Structures are given as structure tokens and as C-alpha cells.
Amino acid sequence: MTARVEPDDIYVALVAELARTAVPTGIMGITLVGVGLFIARTLQDPMLLAAAVIGGVASLGKLTLITLQGYRPARGAGTRAEARVWDRAHLLVTVVVASCIGTVAGSAFLQPDVEMQMLATGLLFGYCSGVVTHLSVRPGMAIAALLLAALPAIVTAGWNGSMSHGILATMFGLFLLGAVQGVFTAHRNTARQIALRLDMAALAGRDALTGLANRLGLHDAFRDRHQSSGEAVAVHCFDLDGFKAVNDRYGHAVGDALLQEVGLRLRGLLGASALAARTGGDEFVVLQHAVHDAETAEVLAREIV
């Protein structure tokens, strides 16, 4: 059984959602450092002190990553390869933070002090709820974070031996299962919404009659092509001689069929080398990419005619 691979545009959009988690990341970082330092000082435990400090540094690293990623959409959505770099960077800092939270929470449940266990419980539930809400766009990352944060507390609470701690460990385990289910549900809903949004954006830039780009689609294609490569392009503009007479003599249904045929022929001629758009009535524009000289543009112009 193979894992389902998300389409490139949906994957890129899902990874981009990770840049919207600055506020919860900051809140969680402050909480982790505060609770971790308090428990470490109370227990005089250098391991917990290290976990609190490392977790705080990782949270700062994640905030920096979010800030850098936040500037990326202004330069285009990016490719799947670029999104994968951001995805892996987020995974790294998330694993570090979750591991630190798991260390602090697990150590707290080894102690008889109920106050520390209450603090650890609040820390754990706050983090896990944030993971389900904000990291479910990357389910693998979210589930890894949930397991790393919650399993140490479940194990140490169950290891404590008392009936109340056994019940608590069972509750944590059931909540963890529910959180995992919540991650998959939230991811599925978010992916569906993004797919719908992308479809609507594509329709907004497409001519309904011919299936070619419209003025908006042409504008976006020119802008994106220029920003991504800066290469020279050729713009071919033409209309259909005698088109009004076709409509007048044979009716608009035949005129529409003629426009559709022109669109079909343009798509067959151009392939991926250029973009064709219908900008009005019988007016068409072809945006030719990677034009090295005037002769290259002239060859395509003759083929279009």
C-alpha cells in the first residue's frame, strides 16, 4: 500500500500554512521555558534546565523560520522542492520542541509533588491542542510532535503505580488517540478547502468558452514568468477577420463553435512553450516564453497564422 501523494499546488499551499503559526509558537515557547525552569529549579535537575533552555532556543528558531517563510509568498508560491525545504526545517524544530516538552512533562510525573504534575498537565494539554489546531496541515509532523510530547508523560504516570495515576495515564492515552484522529480530520478538511480555493482561482483566470486564459490569467502568467526568470518573451496579438459576419449569418452558436476550435488549435500548436489567452470577442493573445531572438518569435507567428 503506497502513501497518497498530495498534488504539488496543494502541498505547497499546505506548507505555506505553517508560516501562520507565529502567535501560538511564541506562547508555547514562553510557557515551556517558564514551566521548565520552575520545575528544574525546584528539583535541582540540570537535565530539565537543559530541556527548558533548548526548547526556548528551538522556539526562537521556529519563530525565525516563520518570519523568513512569511516573506516568500511575495515572490511567488514556490515549487514543491522549495516547499519541502521549509517542511523539513519546520519538522526539525518541531521535533526538538516536542522532545523538550516530553522531557519536562515526563519528569514531572515521576515526582510525588502534585503541583508539578498539574503544571506538566497544563503544559502538555496546551501544546497538544495547539499541534492539532495549527500543525495538522502536515499530519506526519503533527503526529510525531504529539507522540514525543505525550508518550513520556503517559509512561511515567502509568509507572507511578497508584490508581489515580493509572487512570490519568489511560486518559492521556485516549486523548492522544483522539488528537491523532483530529489531526487527520483537520488535514483532510484543510486540503479540501485549499483545493477548492485553487480551483476557483484557476476558473477566475480562464475563459469559460475556449478554456484558454482570460485577461486576468494572461496578466498573472506574465507577472509570474517575469518574476521567476526575467527572460525575454514575445507577445502575439491577433483577431479573426470576418468573425462578425459569421455571427450575423450563422448565429452565435456557430460563432462560439468557431472560437472553441481556434482555442483547441492554439493549445495543440503551443504546448508548454507559450500561453494562449482570449482577451475579448474574437481577440487572442499568445505569450511566448524563452524568446532568444526575433526569428524565434516570427516562426511561431507564421505557425499561428
Side-chain angles (χ1 to χ4, degrees), residues 214-272:
N214 57 19
R215 288 180 181 271
L216 177 61
L218 179 64
H219 176 272
D220 290 344
F222 184 82
R223 180 198 60 200
D224 295 343
R225 194 75 187 184
H226 178 70
Q227 289 181 345
S228 64
S229 65
E231 65 186 14
V233 298
V235 181
H236 305 263
C237 305
F238 63 94
D239 59 8
L240 305 181
D241 294 343
F243 178 72
K244 184 177 183 302
V246 173
N247 273 336
D248 292 342
R249 182 172 180 180
Y250 299 105
H252 289 281
V254 174
D256 289 349
L258 174 58
L259 293 173
Q260 291 171 338
E261 179 65 22
V262 172
L264 183 64
R265 294 189 184 191
L266 282 174
R267 285 196 298 272
L269 171 66
L270 301 176

Side-chain angles (χ1 to χ4, degrees), residues 38-113:
F38 175 80
I39 296 178
R41 186 183 65 178
T42 302
L43 300 179
Q44 297 295 307
D45 190 331
M47 181 185 71
L48 294 182
L49 176 62
V53 172
I54 293 173
V57 172
S59 297
L60 286 176
K62 187 164 186 176
L63 286 173
T64 302
L65 185 63
I66 290 170
T67 301
L68 293 174
Q69 188 184 4
Y71 288 115
R72 187 64 183 84
R75 301 193 300 271
T79 64
R80 188 181 187 94
E82 292 171 337
R84 189 177 294 114
V85 173
W86 294 110
D87 196 7
R88 290 175 177 174
H90 277 283
L91 175 61
L92 176 61
V93 291
T94 298
V95 164
V96 173
V97 172
S99 299
C100 293
I101 290 175
T103 300
V104 171
S107 299
F109 281 100
L110 287 175
Q111 309 304 317
D113 192 332

Side-chain angles (χ1 to χ4, degrees), residues 181-235:
Q181 176 62 36
V183 165
F184 284 117
T185 300
H187 172 260
R188 187 165 53 249
N189 291 337
T190 303
R192 187 181 298 119
Q193 291 171 3
I194 288 176
L196 179 61
R197 186 180 70 204
L198 293 173
D199 288 343
M200 292 178 66
L203 288 173
R206 186 181 306 154
D207 176 54
L209 179 63
T210 63
L212 303 178
N214 57 19
R215 288 180 181 271
L216 177 61
L218 179 64
H219 176 272
D220 290 344
F222 184 82
R223 180 198 60 200
D224 295 343
R225 194 75 187 184
H226 178 70
Q227 289 181 345
S228 64
S229 65
E231 65 186 14
V233 298
V235 181

Side-chain angles (χ1 to χ4, degrees), residues 159-177:
W159 187 265
N160 191 287
S162 69
M163 177 66 72
S164 60
H165 281 85
I167 294 174
L168 187 62
T170 302
M171 289 171 57
F172 281 172
L174 293 175
F175 290 155
L176 178 59
L177 291 176

